[in-house]
Amino acid sequence: DQQVKQNSPSLSVQEGRISILNCDYTNSMFDYFLWYKKYPAEGPTFLISISSIKDKNEDGRFTVFLNKSAKHLSLHIVPSQPGDSAVYFCAAKVYNNNDMRFGAGTRLTVKP
Amino acid sequence: NAGVTQTPKFQVLKTGQSMTLQCAQDMNHEYMSWYRQDPGMGLRLIHYSVGAGITDQGEVPNGYNVSRSTTEDFPLRLLSAAPSQTSVYFCASSSNPGQGAFSYPTDTQYFGPGTRLTVL
């Protein structure tokens, strides 16, 4: 039962353009959402998060949008850079519950 | 500051063998956890610990044991390896701001580099 889904296994964009990575979830109890970035042979690193009381959170080139009614969140990277090429994982959890659920990841390739 | 370290980086086991994956952190973090990553599945939580002497099960705990005798170390034991346990294993840690009832890890959950395990 995959409660967090990233339906696009891969995404390719041109340098300087916007990258949009999508994530859907099924558990309406989730109230905290995170994005992690992972390079090959390394562990994931935290990128940005959003609480369910917000619908947008911005950090530099990265913005996460949350649509609770659609149970959907997205990560926007503007402008995209070649160094952003990595696998991006969406994750979700319930406050006061340690069980964080991850999506399967989306491999982003930013072409120079 | 080494962060989160994991040993070994690679391991091949035969079915039925046992082994321990080591995880250590030097950031004095209370919360530590183990995940496995399988193709098409993302990361799944195996076990976690909110402090020395306290552990609990995650989403996929069967076939794994953990203990937490010190703040720094959180080993993961496979008692009798099975091919289904072939995976990449990540250990993670974070500070725990909760008082009393545990809240949840801070955003900054630091992951180790992973251990790639193959069970034949």
Side-chain angles (χ1 to χ4, degrees), chain B residues 52-64:
Chain B
I54 307 170
T55 64
D56 207 344
Q57 297 179 351
E59 183 185 356
V60 288
N62 293 341
Y64 307 94

Side-chain angles (χ1 to χ4, degrees), chain A residues 48-79:
Chain A
I48 192 169
S49 64
I50 187 167
S51 163
S52 61
I53 62 173
K54 295 184 177 182
D55 53 19
K56 175 183 173 182
N57 189 27
E58 199 169 347
D59 184 2
R61 296 186 296 114
F62 303 92
T63 303
V64 56
F65 295 92
L66 175 63
N67 182 335
K68 289 187 291 293
S69 60
K71 295 191 181 69
H72 176 83
L73 64 155
S74 61
L75 174 69
H76 292 211
I77 307 174
V78 184

Side-chain angles (χ1 to χ4, degrees), chain B:
Chain B
N1 230 2
V4 179
T5 57
Q6 291 183 237
T7 55
K9 283 189 168 48
F10 301 94
Q11 182 71 49
V12 179
L13 291 178
K14 294 181 179 177
T15 297
Q17 286 184 315
S18 64
M19 81 159 295
T20 299
L21 307 185
Q22 301 292 345
C23 174
Q25 52 92 9
D26 60 0
M27 297 172 282
N28 203 31
H29 285 165
E30 294 182 15
Y31 182 88
M32 296 185 74
S33 55
W34 277 101
Y35 292 86
R36 59 178 288 175
Q37 183 193 4
D38 302 295
M41 296 292 292
L43 285 83
R44 290 182 291 169
L45 182 64
I46 304 171
H47 285 284
Y48 64 91
S49 168
V50 300
I54 307 170
T55 64
D56 207 344
Q57 297 179 351
E59 183 185 356
V60 288
N62 293 341
Y64 307 94
N65 276 358
V66 292
S67 60
R68 183 95 178 269
S69 56
T70 67
T71 300
E72 294 78 21
D73 300 298
F74 190 42
L76 178 72
R77 295 185 193 85
L78 284 71
L79 300 178
S80 179
S84 61
Q85 293 178 304
T86 294
S87 187
V88 181
Y89 291 84
F90 291 101
C91 178
S93 77
S94 67
S95 59
N96 172 14
Q99 296 293 326
F102 180 71
S103 57
Y104 53 82
T106 63
D107 296 347
T108 314
Q109 186 165 204
Y110 294 91
F111 282 83
T115 294
R116 184 174 293 274
L117 175 68
T118 301
V119 182
L120 303 175

